[in-house]
Amino acid sequence: MAIKNFAFAPATLKVKVGTTVTWTNQDTDPHTVTSTGSGGPLQSAALNTHATYSYTFTKPGTYSYLCTIHPFMTATVEVTR
């Protein structure tokens, strides 16, 4: 997953259970990968340029997330069996 031009690309990613997704910040500004709502599994620190964050999805479902620094940046990961 790319983080560039103040957006997550792709905006919707479809993966199978057990897939590890890695986000890479390609912007000069820091960004986070943070689950929407409380208690979600995605909780990255602020990612500086070229920093990465990885998460392995172990349960099916739709995981919405955003950048807490720039809340207009939103995306989802759809996980299926």
Side-chain angles (χ1 to χ4, degrees):
M1 292 283 297
I3 306 170
K4 61 182 177 183
N5 300 320
F6 289 84
F8 296 105
T12 301
L13 180 67
K14 297 181 181 192
V15 299
K16 298 281 189 193
V17 166
T19 300
T20 298
V21 176
T22 300
W23 289 262
T24 303
N25 184 9
Q26 298 175 8
D27 282 340
T28 54
D29 286 44
H31 297 296
T32 71
V33 177
T34 308
S35 291
T36 304
S38 62
L42 303 174
Q43 302 288 337
S44 80
L47 303 174
N48 290 317
T49 306
H50 304 301
T52 61
Y53 171 72
S54 296
Y55 181 79
T56 302
F57 291 90
T58 57
K59 297 179 187 173
T62 299
Y63 297 82
S64 298
Y65 63 94
L66 52 72
C67 170
T68 56
I69 302 166
H70 310 99
F72 60 87
M73 293 173 56
T74 61
T76 58
V77 177
E78 294 177 4
V79 183
T80 59
R81 292 197 183 280

